[in-house]
Amino acid sequence: MGAEKTAVWKEAADPRLRRDVRLLGNVLGWVLKEQEGEALFELEERVRLACKSLREAPTPEVEKELLAELSRLDVATLSSLARAFTVYFRLVNVAEQVHRVRVRRERLVSSADPPRDTVMAVARELKERGLEGEELSRLLERLQVELVLTAHPTEVNRRSVLAKHASVRVLLEDLEREAAAMAREETVRRLGEEVTLLWQTDEIRRTRPHVLDEVRRVLYYMGEVLYRELPEVLAGAEQILRSFWPGLGRLRPVLRLGSWVGGDADGNPAVTPEVALEALRMQAGTAISLLRDEVRALAERLSPTSTLVGVSPELEASLARDESAMPEYAARLGERNRDEPYRRKLSFVWKRLDNCLRLLGRGVPQEPFGPVEAWYSSPDEVLRDLRLIQDSMARNRGERVAWGSVEMAVRRAELFGFHLASLDVREHAERVVAEASQLLAEEGEPALEGLEEPERQALLKKVLAPLAEKGLERGGEVGTWPEDPGPLPRGVLGLLRVVSWAQRALGPESADALVVSFTRRASDVLAAFYLVVRAGLLGRVDIVPLFEDLGALARGPEVLREVLAEPSYRKHLEARGMLQEVMLGYSDSGKLAGYLKASWELWKAQIALEAAGREEGVEVCFFHGRGGTVGRGGGPTYEAILAQPFGTMGRRLRITEQGEVIAFKYSHPALARRNLEAVLSATLKACLAARREPSPGTPEYQAMEEVAESAYRAYRSLVYEHPGFQRYFELSTPIEHITRLNVGSRPASREGSTRIQDLRAIPWVFAWTQSRQILPSWYGSGSAFEEFAGSDPARLALLKEMYRTWPFFRTTLDNLQMVLAKADMGIARHYASLVEPESLGLQIFEKVEAEFERTVRWVLEITGQHDLLEGAPVLRASIKLRNPYVDPLSYIQAELMRRWREGRGRREELERAINLTITGIAAGLQNTG
């Protein structure tokens, strides 16, 4: 794309980042000329320069000329042009990723000034605050943080494209190390090869992915990156914490992985019990294969011989048991490694794991002979053998190895077991109640749907009492490892039967939660509990109500109290450690109420729910259903954790990682380490660094009440009360095409329509981001601040003080800054021109634009800045430097949408071209859904 193409990056970017971007731009320019000819390259340059000129000095003549040129191009040329900018963004994203790692590494070299989101920085702060080791130990003994990866469809890159991104990343890192000219020349040649392959790879999926395709995609990150990095993060954290508190014990696996992929049946008919079972088997195959490879690598390292060092009697006895249990394999080993007991022991460990894979049907045996003599029936048995080795080495002058290589193998077995990540199952409350009602009807009871809430609860309590009495002793109807679970019933009961199988086959942590989405009443939870008991899972599964909209959040404490009053449910909770998990829905609450109101109600709900549980003698822990973008609860995780009300963290915290956020955070090992450490360090600080929170009656609390209510009224008056807004939404965004984009297995709408009420929050936010309006993430905020403090200096001073001292308010406004910086009203106006009648588009857009300007003005006033993101210069520079390259894609998308609606061109060709622009804009703006 030419050396001068990247000149705009010189304004603010680090010279090394500019160098990498310039190189990748040059390589892409060469590839464009080779693959498509000079004409496309020159067209791309003209369009880029026109958009750059419009950024620097907007003039109607330049825009008119640009639009005229685009209107003359055929669809094939527009598609190639869109691909050029899309591939460019993908390469820039890789360059930025490499640079983030580079800068992070440099900052970590000096412990004098560690980044604030590291364990080192947080430990130092807590030590200065006077934290005692005993208090830290108590927290670490009970703390559990879980990152739950989901398949929500905002990641538009195919796995084959992601693999090429990884190759480009490795080559850029190689260039950093290579000094010889010939070596650098060869690396640049290989970059050209990867970019050529990237250009020739189809970005758009031809068919909608199956659920199991989504499982494979998540397993890519878990297996390739997180399996290696998570244990390293925990080991490093333990070392740092011990340097401040020397008496601290071994750090438990306080940070784990979860998944919804394959178990989230809410609104996705493709998720069946059979699919959930296969997802668990795929996870198990990956986990056991990785552990088997770990054991083989460890065997290659552990060469101590019994002629030089001693061996514990326990290890010798275990070897004798192995030879007795596996005589054919022992015969094949013969005298091999007889005087190398650790290698010999690990050979048996490896063989047992290999046999597990054979029984699971996931491994292709490397040696096609020998029966399946013995296997591990649980991951605890693997840990027992690894700890035998560790103990023997520690007692026989091998402490460094025992607490080095062997310890890492032990940590991985502890963390990932046979399941890799805990799989949740989720279903809509209406489906849960309907299924429970059907089962009750078969027993002669009245249908739940026909009863009022008190009668529903009474019926459920009546049938639950006798079932719960014997529930803890029930063994369930499915087989255990390695048997197949057999025929599975439909619906939630079938999913729970799969959970029961997984707990016995893969371990109790492999699947232990039923999430009930759109929970509104206590009977929704009790109906789920009834199904859990029927599945023989009393005391073995967390029943997690998901409160998603404002009404549900407000009723949440009452619902919780009613559920906790049921004796059989309390018996269930006793077996779960008197811990009640509650999930908070950020996406739907934001779609229904707007950003400020939803954020505030979620903050208050945590306090109220925690208090309700405490009053009932139950500890409430929270599962935060955060999306990728601010409109769905997104934003930096470190700040988000610290913004939660102090005292509500409890002993368990779960957070979803959704869509393109997974690739952004976990595609590079160093970035994965950074994000995992940020989650851990933020949790430690949030739990241990006490602070005062505003309470009802304080000026801050009252101010937030008024601001949130004003923002809610402004948001609702446009989005839900303006008679033309539905049409404006459908015509000023590419929502029609997003609903058909093959990026996820789940439908975009529960009801099959694009009505705002029916649409899921993900495509809702994604569509607004594409049109550069990003409306759900900020609309109403400016009006709210103006109404609160427009003519009152004292109230403005209060807002400024809230920003300075209150983590929740500061994070809320900083997230607002980010989306305001990414939004662009100049481009948005162009999308608004697509609305018919034109008067409607102009009328609504003028309201949107006025509110945008008002919001920017008030955010700057409250934060004391002259420009957005002054406190985040790297992010500000990235957004500023990307915009000239996103703009061409926006103009191309709007032109294609206009042709689609006017019926000019072949539908299939036009839709494919529009989909290309969708992927390009998503790559350019990032965290889009």
Side-chain angles (χ1 to χ4, degrees), residues 26 183 193 241 306 385 423 443 460 555 641 700 702 898:
N26 284 336
E193 183 179 333
L241 293 173
S306 55
D385 280 349
L423 182 70
E443 297 176 0
L460 286 164
R555 288 192 297 272
I641 292 174
E700 301 96 329
Q702 187 58 38
R898 193 184 303 277

Side-chain angles (χ1 to χ4, degrees), residues 609 720 740:
L609 287 162
Y720 289 96
R740 293 196 295 270

Side-chain angles (χ1 to χ4, degrees), residues 129 140 143 249 270 278 306 316 339 363 383 471 490 516 568 622 631 663 702 745 755 796 840 854 899 922:
R129 285 173 174 247
L140 294 176
L143 184 63
E278 182 60 17
S306 55
E316 290 181 333
D339 61 346
L383 277 169
R490 300 291 86 201
V516 184
S568 60
F622 292 104
Q702 187 58 38
S745 65
R755 288 196 332 135
L796 175 59
L840 174 65
R854 189 180 299 114
R899 294 187 193 185

